[in-house]
Structures are given as structure tokens and as C-alpha cells.
Amino acid sequence: MKCFRVLRVLSIFVLLLWEDSGPEAMTLNSILLHQVPGGGRGATEGFLTYQRRKRNWVWNQFFVLEEYTGDEPLYVGKLHSDMDKGESQVKYVLKGEGAMSIFTINENTGDIHATKRLDREQQAYYILRAQARDRDTNLPIEPESEFIIKVQDINDNEPKFLNGPYTARVAEQAPVGTSVVTVVATDADDPTYGNSAKLVYSILQGQPYFSVEPKTGVIRTALADLDREAQDRYLLVIQAKDMIGQIGGLSGTTSVTVILTDINDNPPRFTRKSYQFSVPESELVSVVVAKIKALDLDVGPNAEMDYRILDGDGVGTFRILTDPNTQEGLVILQKTLDFETKSSYSLRVEASNRYVDTRVLMAGPYNDVALVCLLVGNVDEPPVFSSSLSRMVVSEAAAVGTSVGSVSANDPDANKSPVRYSIDRKSDMDQFFDVDSSSGVIRTSRPLDRETINLHNITILARESLDPSQVGKAVVLVSVLDVNDNAPSFAIPYQAFVCENSKPGQIIETVSAVDRDKPDNGHHFLFSLSPEAPGELNFTVRDNKDNTASVLTLHGDFLQRDQLVHILLVVISDGGSPSLSSTNTLSITVCNCDLDGNHRSCSWGMGALLVVGLNTTATSLTCFLTLLGIIMITVAIRHRRGELLITDDERDIQENIVCYDDEGGGEEDTEAFDMSALRHLKKINQGPLRLESRMEKNQMFEKFIKNRLREADLELKAPPYDSLQTFVFEGSGSAAESLSSLSSSDSEKDYSFLKEWGPRFKKLADLYGHQEGGGVFS
């Protein structure tokens, strides 16, 4: 196996300042170091060889002054190689930031110039690379070297307040030196070079109230008695100057608005020591009758105040509240006023701040007191009733003119006008009551019925005789007391049933009663049989002592054929004084029942109809006679043989819906419209129709019938029976002639075509399809 040793070369360039050529030039030496280490971790062979080669670069200037405004390119420095013997064989090349665009190099001499105006605030330095090459072969004769051109700062930027203008707040009466706000200015110049970016703050406007610290820009109060009520804001102008504030430095300014915030340093004060208001005696309770206000120079919560009544003869009659929006004191009436009783009131009212600042308590009390005088104004008042609501009672059996009670009203004014009474008829439209205009006595004017109206709500009016426009009102509630004037009766119309196989003593019905009266102790009904009951009783009544009664059988084995309906007369009496009673009829129908007592048939025969009564019988007879008359009129019309004259527009075939009670019943059970429009009649004095015309019309009618049959066969919701409409006349020209059974016989008509119409007309074919000799279609 062959072993190879890999040699790695480490090149290190070391730049040494080895020669000082003077204040404007420096020579840099370049050393190339070659290191050839051993091949492995444990290798003992290894050597490091150093090959030294000297390279000489010369800079005549390291800095470029910014903002140069000369006409010629600005000289930056010079590059020179020791390999350059002055034979024009060396060419200098410049690369890097701004090479050939901002900086140019003379490839023969190595002189570097700046061709553009530079701004340090945009770019403070540039990194460039230089190399010397052989002019003929363009091969490097010196390794590439990197250097920096730094832009030298000048004071060309003024300070700027980036966060201005400022707004700050400070409490009024703040101590001297209280910090208000800090202003900050920035300078784009180089803070590490000279004094171009070293700032000093000063105040140009705002003295002597405020000051500013020169180095920090902190604005502080300079006076201790700043009063918001005198001046609530100040405008300050702050300056920042560079070059430590020296002459020639640049400066910038900003404005600062300082707003003084309020503290509670002003107590409330009434503008007057006494106030006077007039209040009419008719003013309603809870109404604001006066407003007073104390002034406070403070604002916000510091100006909020409370009012209270300290003393006075109006305590209890009036109270005072604070309006939260206007900070006014609202004097509110708590009791009704009466000029004749008391004509004036006085109140001593205090106003005080709700929130007090402890820092200013030494200045004095933060409240004020004023006197409020309230004069009661006299008003012509309407009559006043002794009671605005009166309750009275009267029996419903009271005779007309019975006194119910009385009302009383008087004029509260000093003139004491006489009062006239009347009833507001809107509250007593049926005029059950009258009132004496002078005495106020209320009497009945009509009979009363508690079951109709049990409480009357009437309004009594009292008018002044001297001024009828002054009207007072009072409400009178008249309760109508009950008397026993209504007999009890069945609660509902009962229909009782009894089975043929019923046993004696079996309960077939339980009945209850109602009574329109309303006794104080409730209803107590008694049930019994009427003494007018038939001699042989089949049923009896048992009083259950709970306002109900049970109907029981006295024997068993009832038969419908013997008697379908049994009548039971039940007497119901109440517990009133005097007691009232009524006789009630209970119909009991005999039914055919199963072994479990379930009704299977309860047929109503003519006997049952007789029980219903004369009115029901008369109604049924009327209906029967009406129906018979309709049938007779229908038969008479269908026997007419005359030909009706119809217009050409009425000769079209039309369709109507008809309804039958059964199938094949003929014309007696038909409920239909007049179908005269379907009759094909020839006109008067018209000759016989041609055979072709009659055949065309017959074919058209046959097509119409077939279309209707096809639609009926396809209709799934069609009723499950057939029907055929018969007409009085078919027309003299019809091949089928008349289909009516009233004017034709089986020998005259041939109904064989019904067999061809399908199974829907099978029953009609059976009814009309008898052939001579008794044959029937099958």
C-alpha cells in the first residue's frame, strides 16, 4: 500500500506598520507565511517555512471631508508598490464600494480621487480593495489589499425634536420644580467627532412659569402659585443647540403646551343670600317647584356639590336634590299645598362640595348657605269630596227609589261656593242610579239584577254653582247583594241510556245542578222525583248529599219493543229562603247492550220522535213536505214534451258535476243543475235534419263520452261507483232518443251499447238491459 502525505499551505498576511514616512503617509508591509504541517496526529515530521516578501502601500490621506463643494475631484490618497520601478510596467486597479463610481484611481500613479459629494450621515466609510498588476500580462504582481476610506464629519445637521410638538399636564398649585415633561432632540452629526452632536436645551418662551434643564431637556415648574382659574394653559418654546451651545452652532425648536389640571381649591358660593319663588297651591306632589345654584370655579368632580335643607318651616313639605347634569338644587314638593291653610314657607339651604382636597382645607370652609322663601299662590280649586272612593251595598230586590248612600263635597276656596251633584252617565249608561243634586243622596232608578251586574262603578260629579267649570270627581262602588230569585236546573242537557238486560238498583246516570244565585254559604241542592210522575215507576232518584243525584233502575229486563224511551221528572230545589225548585225532564233510552254493558244499538223509532216535542215534529213535517214538493216538480218538468228554443251558442255540449244517493236510483234521487243546455232541439219551422248531420252530431257526442270515460279510468281518486246523468230530452234528431225511464219502456229502447262502455256501467246495464222475453245482458 502506498502512503501519500497531504501538504496544506496556510497563507497568512500580516500587515505591519514598519515605516513612518511622515505625518501624511504610511507604509504597510505585507508578509506571506507558508505553513506545511505534518500528515497525521502523531506525525513527528513537520516543518513550518516562512517566505517573506515585502510590499509597500502608501496613503497620503485617510479621511475624506464630507460635503466638499470644489470644482475639481477631491484627492483622497496614493497607492504605490515597491515593484513599481517607474518604468510604467505596473497598473493599479481599484475595487469595492464606490470604486470607479465615487472613487477613481490613476492606474499609472495610483492616485485616488473622490468624484462626488459625500454625506457622512448617509454612509460614514467605504471599504475598498487595491491591487497592482503587470501592464503587459495583466497578472498580479502584488496580492490584493483592503483598506478603508472614512468620511470626515462636519457640523451640517441641526438638532431636531422628532416627537414634537409636545402636550403635557400638571396640576395647578404644584410645587416649584415639579417635572412636567422631558423633551428630546437628536442631531444626525457624528457624536464621536468634535462637538457637532453635543446639545444644550434652553427655554425661549414660557418664563418665568417654567424652566428646562440644559443637558436633560426636563421641563419643570418655576412658580408655585399657578392658578388654573386664572390661566389654564401655557405655550412654551424650547430650543436645542449643538456645539455645546457655542456661537456658530446649529439649533432647532419645538413647542410644548402645558395644561393645568384642576384641584378643588374653590368652594361653592351662592350668588345671592336669599331666593324667593311662587308656587300655586294646585301644584302636584313630586313636581320641581324651584331651582337654585351655587357657583364653583372648579370643574369636573371638584365642582360637584350636594344641597341639603338645614332648617325652616318647610321641612317635610319640601325636599331638595342635586341635578347631576347642571349641579342645580331642585326643590321638590312632597305634600299638597293649601293657600287657605298656609301661604308661605321658608328653607335654609346649604351647598357643599362632594369631594374636598385635603391640601386646601386650611383655606376655609367649603360650603355656603342661602335662604329660600316659597310663596303659595291662591288658585280657584274644584270641589273636594270627603272621600274620593266610597263603597255602598244594595239588595237586588230593592225597590226603585231605594236610597243606596250619600256623598259630600265642598269648595275649598275662601268663597265657599255651593256644590251641585250629578252622575257621569258614561259610568252609568243604563241609568240604574240617580243622585240628588243638593244633598248628594244616591238612589236606585231601575230594578237591579245581581246575576246581570253585581258591581256598579259610577262617577259622581260636584260642580261649583258660581263657577260650573270647577268640577270635582269621586268614585262610588255599589255592590248588589244577592237574593234567592233563580231556581236550580240541570247542569247540562242529560241523555241517559239503559240496557235491556239491566238489573234492579243499577246506576244509569249521575246528574248535577246549577243556580245563577250566589248564596253566602254556597249551594245546597235537593233532588227528588216529581209527584206528577206516572203511577208505575221504572226508575228512581237518590240524592247523594253533595249537590249530585244518581238515577237508578227499580227493576230489570227493559225491552225496546215495549217502550224505547222512558221519561223521568226530577225536582231540584235549593236551600234558599224561601226555597225555589224546578222540574227537569230526563229522557232514558233503552239500548241493546252486550254482556259488558256496552251499547250496541239504540234505535230511535217513531215513539222517540213523539217524545221530542211538537216543535221537532213540526220541523220534521215541514222538511218532509218540502222534499216531496221538490220531487213532484222535478217529475213534472221531465214529462214535458215540448221543444225548447235555444240559441246557437247554447247548443254546445257542457259538463256539470252531479251527485247521487245510490247507484241506478233513477231521477228521483238526482241533485243536479238544469241541463237544458244539453238538449239538441230543432228550430221552429225548420225542415228535417239531414242524416249526415245527425250522424256527425252523434259521433261528436259519442267522442265526448269516450273522452270522459278515459279520463275517469286514469283518475286514481275517482269515487268507486258509476253514475249516469239522464236528461228530459235528448233531441228529436238523436239516434239514441231519450234515455229517461219516465217516458220510455224496455221495448222502445235498446241499451246494448251500455255493455260496450266497460265495467263501470255494468249496474246500469243490469237495470236497463232487459231484452224482450226476460233476457239480461251478462
Side-chain angles (χ1 to χ4, degrees):
M1 179 180 294
K2 294 183 180 179
C3 295
F4 296 93
R5 178 174 298 172
V6 179
L7 301 180
R8 292 181 293 174
V9 178
L10 177 61
S11 298
I12 301 177
F13 292 95
V14 180
L15 299 179
L16 299 177
L17 293 175
W18 64 283
E19 182 179 356
D20 190 358
S21 302
E24 296 297 331
M26 298 183 68
T27 302
L28 297 181
N29 294 327
S30 178
I31 303 174
L32 180 60
L33 302 180
H34 296 278
Q35 181 182 5
V36 184
R41 177 179 299 179
T44 57
E45 284 186 0
F47 60 91
L48 180 62
T49 61
Y50 297 92
Q51 296 182 0
R52 180 183 181 90
R53 184 171 59 183
K54 181 180 179 182
R55 184 180 61 188
N56 203 6
W57 295 110
V58 177
W59 281 265
N60 291 331
Q61 188 172 350
F62 291 99
F63 297 94
V64 177
L65 191 65
E66 70 168 333
E67 304 297 343
Y68 174 72
T69 57
D71 296 333
E72 299 295 332
L74 180 63
Y75 179 75
V76 176
K78 182 181 183 63
L79 296 179
H80 183 73
S81 174
D82 292 342
M83 303 299 295
D84 188 359
K85 305 300 182 180
E87 299 176 352
S88 301
Q89 291 297 319
V90 177
K91 181 176 65 174
Y92 296 96
V93 179
L94 187 65
K95 298 180 180 179
E97 295 180 324
M100 308 313 294
S101 60
I102 298 176
F103 303 101
T104 60
I105 188 171
N106 189 320
E107 64 179 12
N108 296 323
T109 62
D111 294 329
I112 301 175
H113 291 80
T115 61
K116 292 184 178 180
R117 182 178 178 179
L118 302 180
D119 188 357
R120 188 205 65 84
E121 286 69 38
Q122 293 184 358
Q123 186 166 346
Y125 60 89
Y126 297 85
I127 301 175
L128 298 168
R129 299 187 304 277
Q131 191 177 44
R133 293 178 175 270
D134 184 271
R135 185 178 297 275
D136 296 332
T137 63
N138 201 32
L139 295 176
I141 59 176
E142 292 282 355
E144 191 176 73
S145 178
E146 183 179 276
F147 63 97
I148 296 175
I149 298 178
K150 187 175 182 181
V151 181
Q152 187 175 2
D153 182 50
I154 64 173
N155 189 17
D156 59 342
N157 290 278
E158 71 278 2
K160 294 182 179 180
F161 292 90
L162 301 181
N163 296 325
Y166 295 83
T167 300
R169 297 176 182 271
V170 64
E172 63 174 333
Q173 307 294 337
V176 175
T178 300
S179 176
V180 178
V181 68
T182 300
V183 295
V184 177
T186 59
D187 196 318
D189 292 326
D190 190 358
T192 63
Y193 179 78
N195 297 325
S196 299
K198 294 181 179 180
L199 307 179
V200 173
Y201 298 94
S202 61
I203 182 169
L204 302 182
Q205 178 180 319
Q207 295 174 332
Y209 308 103
F210 299 92
S211 63
V212 63
E213 294 184 357
K215 293 182 179 181
T216 62
V218 177
I219 299 175
R220 300 181 184 275
T221 58
L223 294 179
D225 57 350
L226 296 179
D227 187 5
R228 187 201 64 83
E229 288 72 32
Q231 183 174 349
D232 61 349
R233 64 182 58 208
Y234 296 85
L235 181 61
L236 282 61
V237 177
I238 306 299
Q239 180 190 70
K241 190 174 184 180
D242 59 15
M243 299 298 291
I244 322 179
Q246 297 177 1
I247 298 176
L250 302 179
S251 63
T253 59
T254 186
S255 64
V256 180
T257 301
V258 180
I259 300 174
L260 296 185
T261 59
D262 184 60
I263 65 172
N264 193 5
D265 57 344
N266 292 278
R269 290 288 182 263
F270 285 107
T271 57
R272 292 184 292 174
K273 288 302 179 180
S274 64
Y275 298 85
Q276 182 173 304
F277 301 94
S278 178
V279 183
E281 62 175 336
S282 60
E283 196 66 84
L284 300 177
V285 174
S286 300
V287 172
V288 177
V289 296
K291 295 181 180 181
I292 59 175
K293 185 176 182 179
L295 298 181
D296 193 327
L297 298 178
D298 297 320
V299 294
N302 295 324
E304 295 180 0
M305 61 189 72
D306 293 323
Y307 297 88
R308 67 189 183 100
I309 299 175
L310 298 179
D311 50 41
D313 56 4
V315 177
T317 305
F318 302 92
R319 63 190 178 99
I320 190 168
L321 296 177
T322 302
D323 189 325
N325 298 321
T326 63
Q327 296 301 310
E328 291 178 310
L330 307 179
V331 180
I332 301 174
L333 181 64
Q334 289 194 117
K335 297 180 180 179
T336 56
L337 302 176
D338 185 9
F339 172 82
E340 289 73 22
T341 303
K342 188 173 179 59
S343 61
S344 65
Y345 296 87
S346 62
L347 303 171
R348 201 162 64 94
V349 178
E350 178 192 64
S352 60
N353 275 136
R354 187 171 301 169
Y355 308 103
V356 179
D357 195 330
T358 57
R359 295 174 295 178
V360 294
L361 282 177
M362 300 302 295
Y366 273 73
N367 55 28
D368 197 11
V369 178
L371 182 65
V372 178
C373 182
L374 300 166
L375 303 179
V376 180
N378 187 21
V379 176
D380 189 7
E381 301 171 88
V384 177
F385 283 87
S386 58
S387 176
S388 60
L389 177 63
S390 301
R391 298 181 184 273
M392 303 176 184
V393 294
V394 63
S395 173
E396 66 175 328
V400 175
T402 300
S403 175
V404 177
S406 64
V407 293
S408 176
N410 60 81
D411 184 7
D413 297 321
N415 54 8
K416 299 299 179 181
S417 173
V419 175
R420 308 289 291 178
Y421 300 96
S422 63
I423 293 179
D424 185 355
R425 288 306 174 187
K426 293 181 180 179
S427 63
D428 185 27
M429 300 183 66
D430 294 329
Q431 300 184 7
F432 286 100
F433 302 93
D434 282 328
V435 62
D436 188 276
S437 61
S438 299
S439 63
V441 176
I442 301 174
R443 291 184 172 86
T444 60
S445 59
R446 288 182 55 187
L448 303 177
D449 185 10
R450 188 204 65 83
E451 286 71 37
T452 303
I453 303 177
N454 61 359
L455 180 65
H456 294 266
N457 186 341
I458 60 177
T459 301
I460 306 298
L461 306 178
R463 285 185 171 86
E464 292 184 8
S465 300
L466 300 179
D467 185 5
S469 64
Q470 297 297 324
V471 181
K473 295 183 180 181
V475 175
V476 176
L477 299 179
V478 180
S479 298
V480 182
L481 300 180
D482 183 47
V483 297
N484 191 23
D485 58 347
N486 291 278
S489 62
F490 275 153
I492 60 173
Y494 290 99
Q495 293 182 356
F497 300 90
V498 62
C499 295
E500 289 183 322
N501 55 358
S502 297
K503 305 298 181 183
Q506 182 175 342
I507 299 176
I508 63 172
E509 185 65 83
T510 299
V511 296
S512 61
V514 293
D515 193 330
R516 295 184 63 193
D517 294 323
K518 189 177 181 181
D520 295 337
N521 298 324
H523 293 291
H524 299 283
F525 299 124
L526 299 176
F527 298 84
S528 62
L529 288 179
S530 173
E532 301 176 359
E536 182 180 357
L537 294 178
N538 298 316
F539 304 91
T540 187
V541 174
R542 183 181 68 193
D543 195 327
N544 296 328
K545 306 302 181 182
D546 60 354
N547 292 335
T548 65
S550 300
V551 180
L552 299 87
T553 59
L554 291 178
H555 62 79
D557 299 331
F558 295 91
L559 295 177
Q560 287 184 342
R561 67 174 178 268
D562 293 342
Q563 185 173 353
L564 178 63
V565 179
H566 296 264
I567 303 300
L568 189 65
L569 301 180
V570 180
V571 177
I572 307 175
S573 60
D574 57 23
S577 179
S579 177
L580 299 180
S581 62
S582 66
T583 301
N584 299 266
T585 302
L586 178 65
S587 299
I588 304 174
T589 305
V590 180
C591 297
N592 182 14
C593 306
D594 55 19
L595 296 178
D596 296 330
N598 299 319
H599 302 166
R600 290 191 300 184
S601 64
C602 300
S603 301
W604 286 76
M606 291 303 296
L609 290 175
L610 295 175
V611 176
V612 175
L614 180 61
N615 292 337
T616 304
T617 303
T619 303
S620 301
L621 181 61
T622 301
C623 294
F624 176 76
L625 294 176
T626 302
L627 180 61
L628 182 61
I630 294 175
I631 294 175
M632 295 177 63
I633 294 173
T634 303
V635 172
I637 293 175
R638 294 187 181 277
H639 278 80
R640 293 174 58 191
R641 290 302 183 185
E643 294 185 353
L644 300 178
L645 295 177
I646 58 176
T647 62
D648 293 338
D649 294 336
E650 295 175 337
R651 300 179 68 88
D652 296 332
I653 297 175
Q654 300 181 5
E655 179 183 12
N656 285 284
I657 299 175
V658 296
C659 189
Y660 294 90
D661 291 336
D662 55 24
E663 296 181 358
E667 295 178 351
E668 292 181 350
D669 59 355
T670 302
E671 298 176 3
F673 299 95
D674 184 7
M675 304 300 292
S676 60
L678 294 177
R679 301 167 188 155
H680 296 274
L681 303 177
K682 64 182 180 178
K683 298 182 180 179
I684 301 176
N685 299 328
Q686 187 178 15
L689 297 174
R690 293 180 301 171
L691 179 61
E692 295 81 6
S693 177
R694 291 199 300 268
M695 293 179 63
E696 291 176 359
K697 293 184 178 181
N698 291 341
Q699 291 175 359
M700 180 178 64
F701 182 78
E702 182 180 0
K703 181 179 180 181
F704 171 78
I705 295 298
K706 289 183 178 180
N707 290 337
R708 290 294 179 266
L709 289 175
R710 189 181 301 107
E711 293 176 1
D713 292 336
L714 297 178
E715 177 60 41
L716 299 179
K717 297 181 180 180
Y721 53 82
D722 299 330
S723 60
L724 180 66
Q725 172 67 51
T726 59
F727 304 95
V728 176
F729 295 105
E730 192 67 30
S732 59
S734 173
E737 298 182 355
S738 176
L739 295 178
S740 173
S741 60
L742 299 178
S743 61
S744 62
S745 62
D746 293 339
S747 60
E748 297 175 349
K749 302 296 179 182
D750 184 7
Y751 297 100
S752 61
F753 66 89
L754 294 176
K755 182 178 179 182
E756 300 176 357
W757 285 7
R760 290 182 178 270
F761 294 89
K762 183 176 183 306
K763 190 170 184 65
L764 289 176
D766 294 340
L767 294 175
Y768 293 92
H770 293 275
Q771 297 177 349
E772 293 184 2
V776 181
F777 297 130
S778 58

